[in-house]
Amino acid sequence: MCGLLTRLMRGLRDRTRRDPSAPRADFFAGAKKRKKRRRASVGMTGGCLMAVRCSLSYVALVRRSYVLIGGFVLITLGGCSHTATADRSSLTLLIESNPTNLDPRFATDGQSQHLDGLIFSSLVERDEQMNLRGDLAESWDASDPLTYIFHLRQGVRFHDGSALTAADVKATFDFILNTANRSPKRGAFRMIANIEAPDARTVIFHLKEAYASFLWSVSRPAIGIVPASAGADFSRGLIGSGPFRLVSQAQDDEVVLGANADYFGGAPGISRLRARVVPDAIVRALELRKGSADLEISSLSPDLVPVLARRPELGVSERPGTNLAYLGFNMNNAIVERREVRQALAYATDRETLIRYLLHGQARIANGVMPPNHWAYEPSVTTYSLDTARAEALLDAAGFPRRENGVRMHLMLKTSTDEQARLIGAALQEQWRHVGVALEVRSLEAATLLSDLVKGNFEINLFRWVGANNDPDVFEYLFSSKRFPPDGANRGHYRNPRMDVLTDQIRVEMDREKRKALCSEAQKILATDLPYLPLWFVDAVSVHQKELGDLPLSPSGDFDFLVKLRVQE
């Protein structure tokens, strides 16, 4: 029965992957066929009809369809045995996509950086309040704004037993800075003039200009130190110095890590971590319910969480998050380059409904890239609530009147194959239809999607920033015209001379209050220009085996809490 239900859900997944509106189409097609039959007693049908009667948006219809199907599957699984892992020192973590590249000199996607934070060490790391503390660096000092001196811990070794020295730190950054290696992280360190390693435990960075976020940029997991001998093919045999070592990796299947017993911060409490790639949210829920997996982190449809929470063997940990879901616009596109069009799409987007029905309340509306609890956050910016009349007026003013068929324009949204991302795309498709925008949703595997975004091969994309928005330097990384890929993540090629001036100043201003004022102006400009349409900050939520206790989740979704995790007996 369990195998049959899993195959059923995979069939639904494949159907909707081809057509995000499939649940809606299937429902209404089925309704026509059953028109002359007695009322269906299936819960999903009743839920959909009830949603229509209550005048809920289409997102509620799709949500109810998936949740009731998922709920039926999970309830039916009551007859399946719960086979929890026998060795409680070994954990299985479910992740929704394959890490694109675990070489920390290239890794930019969320899964790669999360896992790299366990495999590699950095000069400094962040505590729970996002303050910086030493990692490989025992201490550091800045003799002036252009010179940073790091003193490394004694006795740190790589996983192969070789000593980690200042030469490895220097070589890691030299590789990134070498244009021939085409590291996407090179732009983040272009302020570095040169690096010295006068002895095995001392590293000196000389900067071309003052950079207020320099320490943040060399923190874990933004960068990881690799052996000086690591070449361009290092991803085939990763060697780090972090709390876990790479045991094996199978593309689109799993990444297996083993505890580093010699880790300078103390050996992890779990001996083995298996990160299994399970793209489908329903299948991830089934694995947790059956006990064949131990935990997931913010990867389930929010509606599945309360269903699983009712299981006595499962627990739920939750805390406010900082990861940003957003729509990115390509400024080289003749339609969305118009600011009025971007603003119209913002007014046509009912984020409150999406959060209430699709995210089950597990998110907060975002009015910018900085989370509200950040010291640099500016609350007094232009905001966008649902206002279809204003959206239509803006589109008329932009020169896009409704044609005879009621359509003003055709746009394409690229997103991942993640279940929730496809549902969000389908909901936007329905919401924007009301203002005359015909939206095509194209779902791509994570690596393909990221490749298209870097190349600028998109009109609109639905994506998420994981951790990058926790420091003001993000404004330059995302919105400076100097930071087009591969030198940054301004993938939409947004250009604004004033923003370039502000981001240059934000980079070098060492006074916190002055820097906050610069960030405030930048946020006000971005809220008007809308190179991004910020959607929401996603809560950090984990469904896990109850014996793991209440998990101290990271607001940014990092996996670092796993290092000190101890299974409760």
Side-chain angles (χ1 to χ4, degrees), residues 12 18 86 104 163 290 307 400 529-530 559:
L12 176 62
R18 294 190 297 270
K290 291 187 296 181
V307 176
F400 295 97
D529 280 359
L530 283 185
F559 296 167

Side-chain angles (χ1 to χ4, degrees), residues 367-368 370-372 374-383 516 519-520 523-524 527:
N367 294 319
M370 300 298 290
H374 197 283
W375 61 265
Y377 174 73
E378 173 54 62
S380 301
V381 299
T382 303
T383 59
K516 182 176 181 178
C519 291
S520 173
Q523 289 170 84
K524 291 176 180 178

Side-chain angles (χ1 to χ4, degrees), residues 181-226:
N181 294 323
R182 298 186 63 81
S183 168
K185 298 185 177 182
R186 179 170 63 90
F189 299 110
R190 70 179 187 279
M191 84 298 296
I192 297 177
N194 61 76
I195 307 166
E196 294 182 73
D199 59 59
R201 293 184 56 201
T202 306
V203 186
I204 305 174
F205 288 81
H206 297 283
L207 308 186
K208 301 173 186 175
E209 59 184 19
Y211 179 38
S213 295
F214 178 70
L215 288 174
W216 187 271
S217 69
V218 298
S219 66
R220 188 201 304 228
I223 190 67
I225 303 304
V226 304

Side-chain angles (χ1 to χ4, degrees), residues 320-325 355 359 361-373 377 465 469-470 534-540:
T322 61
N323 293 336
L324 173 72
I355 290 175
L359 303 183
Q362 296 171 14
R364 295 164 295 154
I365 287 180
N367 294 319
V369 298
M370 300 298 290
N373 60 343
Y377 174 73
W465 275 113
N469 58 325
N470 287 319
L535 294 176
W536 46 71
F537 294 105
V538 184
D539 289 348

